[in-house]
Amino acid sequence: MKILRGDRFLSSAQCQVLRGIAILGIFLHNICHLLRGSNEENEFYFIAERASNMWNYWTGGNIDAFFPLQFLSFFGHYGVPIFLFLSGYGLVMKYERGGGSSRVGVWQFLGSHWLKLFKLMILCFVLTMITYLACGLSWHGWIEYLAQATMLSNIVPSLCDSQTPSPYWFFGVMVEVYVIYRLLIFPFHDKRQSIWRWLLPLLLVVLAWLPQVFMEHHHRMLVYVRHNASIAMLPFALGVVVARYGFPQMPRWSLAVTSVVMLPLLALFSVNYQLWLWSPVPVIAGSVAFVKLLEPCGGLLRSCVVSPLRQVGMLSSMVFVVHSIPRILIYESVLKYHKGLYLIDYAWLALYIVLTLVLAWCYKKIMDKLLAAEPHYKLTH
C-alpha cells in the first residue's frame, strides 16, 4: 500500500482549506451557542443532558429550519482540534525535514513563537477589551487581563471558569504546546530508528487523557485541565505522527465514505463521556477526508466551495483574533433580546460573517505593515 508523506499527504493548499473549515466552525459557534433556544455544547466539560438534547434533535424528528444554527452551536467548537492537528503537522514539516530550521535553539524557538502570538493578538485583545467595557460587560480586573494578554491565564484555575475576552484562552494553550513540542517531541525527530520518535507523542496523549477519565463529575477541575495542553495533546500528537510517518493513500470512494460516516460517528461519540474524550479523532479524520475528496474537483465546486474555503483559511488567524468584536456588538445590541430562535437570526448571522471577514482582512493589512520585516509571519504552522 502506498504511503503518502509530507506535502503528498496534505498540500499547503489543502491545509488552508482545512483552516477555512476550522475557523468557520469556531467563529460561527461562538455566536450560535449564545442564542436562546440553541443546543449548548460540551467543550470544556460534559453534561449528559446537553448530549441527550442534541441526540434527540437529530434522531427524534425535531430537525427544523434552524438546523444550521443548532449544528454550529453544538459542534462548531471542533474547529479547535483541526487547528491543533495542523499545528502538529506543520511543526514537523517546518522543523524536522532538514535545513537550517532544524538547528533552532530552545530559547530561540520558544521566544520567537511566543512573540509571534503576542504580536498577532495584543492589538485586537485591547480593542476587544475596550468593546467589552463600552458595552458595560463585566470584567475581572487588570491583573486578570494582563495574565491573559501575556498568555499565562490558563495556569490560574480561577481564570479558567470565565475567560474574558473568551477566544484568547487558545493562545495560552499554544504556548504550552510549543514548550511540549520543543522540549519533549522535537529532540527525537532525527532518531528515525528510535521507538521514542512515535511512542513519546502517544504517551503524551495517554498522560493527557488518563486524568480526564475520572473527572466526569468534577466540572471545575475538568474545565481547568481542558483549558490547558490536555485538550491539545490528542489532535496535536496525531498531526505529529502523521507528518512523521505518513498515511496510506485512500481511493476516492474510501475518502467519500470516511467523510460521510465520521459525522454520525462524532454524534455517537458526543453522547458518552469516555467516547467524548476521543471525539477529535472523527472530526479530524472526516475533515481531512473531505478536503482530500474536494481537491481534484474543478468547475463550479472549486469556485464556490474550495476557493472560498481556502481564502477564509488564509485569513484564519486574523478571523480568530477579531471575531469577538462584531460578535459582542451584534449580540449585545440585538440577539440577546431574542427569546428564541427566529429566521431573522440568519440575517444577523450573515452580517456577522461579513463584518468579521472584512475586519479580518483589514487587520491583516495592518499586521502586514507592522510586521513588514517578518515576511514569513504566521499564527501557527
Side-chain angles (χ1 to χ4, degrees), residues 16 129 134 180 187 219 320 354:
Q16 294 292 14
M129 186 174 69
I180 291 171
H219 288 176
F320 186 81
V354 171

Side-chain angles (χ1 to χ4, degrees), residues 7 40 102 110-111 123 240 370:
D7 291 338
E40 293 184 83
S102 63
L110 297 179
L123 175 59
V240 169
L370 294 178

Side-chain angles (χ1 to χ4, degrees), residues 87-277:
S87 295
Y89 190 86
L91 284 171
V92 171
M93 294 292 292
K94 179 174 182 179
Y95 291 102
E96 300 183 15
R97 294 179 65 84
S101 296
S102 63
R103 294 190 294 271
V104 64
V106 173
W107 292 112
Q108 181 185 354
F109 176 93
L110 297 179
S112 65
H113 281 284
W114 185 92
L115 192 59
K116 287 176 182 179
L117 291 173
F118 181 79
K119 287 179 178 179
L120 173 67
M121 63 91 70
I122 189 59
L123 175 59
C124 226
F125 179 85
V126 172
L127 293 176
T128 303
M129 186 174 69
I130 292 171
T131 306
Y132 264 78
L133 297 177
C135 292
L137 299 176
S138 61
W139 57 298
H140 296 293
W142 292 109
I143 297 299
E144 289 82 357
Y145 274 137
L146 181 63
Q148 197 166 351
T150 53
M151 293 166 279
L152 296 173
S153 64
N154 301 57
I155 63 177
V156 183
S158 61
L159 299 184
C160 293
D161 288 335
S162 178
Q163 291 268 9
T164 304
S166 57
Y168 299 104
W169 68 273
F170 183 72
F171 287 87
V173 170
M174 285 309 304
V175 170
E176 295 174 6
V177 165
Y178 287 138
V179 171
I180 291 171
Y181 172 77
R182 186 58 184 84
L183 296 183
L184 298 178
I185 297 177
F186 177 79
F188 297 95
H189 77 279
D190 56 350
K191 298 176 175 59
R192 298 191 178 276
Q193 304 305 317
S194 172
I195 189 174
W196 294 107
R197 192 168 185 262
W198 61 267
L199 184 59
L200 188 56
L202 299 183
L203 285 176
L204 291 173
V205 171
V206 173
L207 290 175
W209 160 76
L210 198 56
Q212 297 179 68
V213 170
F214 307 101
M215 293 183 184
E216 179 176 1
H217 304 294
H218 302 277
H219 288 176
R220 287 178 62 86
M221 190 181 300
L222 189 60
V223 166
Y224 176 67
V225 167
R226 290 178 66 83
H227 266 89
N228 287 277
S230 291
I231 200 172
M233 282 301 97
L234 175 57
F236 183 79
L238 284 176
V240 169
V241 171
V242 170
R244 283 179 172 178
Y245 294 98
F247 199 82
Q249 185 176 23
M250 299 172 64
R252 286 185 61 78
W253 69 265
S254 181
L255 292 173
V257 170
T258 301
S259 62
V260 170
V261 167
M262 288 301 151
L263 186 55
L265 188 63
L266 171 61
L268 183 63
F269 272 41
S270 298
V271 298
N272 176 272
Y273 176 76
Q274 299 299 335
L275 290 175
W276 169 75
L277 295 175

Side-chain angles (χ1 to χ4, degrees), residues 252 290-303 305-307:
R252 286 185 61 78
F290 177 69
V291 169
K292 292 181 71 64
L293 185 66
L294 286 178
E295 184 60 26
C297 298
L300 191 63
L301 189 60
R302 172 163 290 276
S303 59
V305 178
V306 179
S307 295

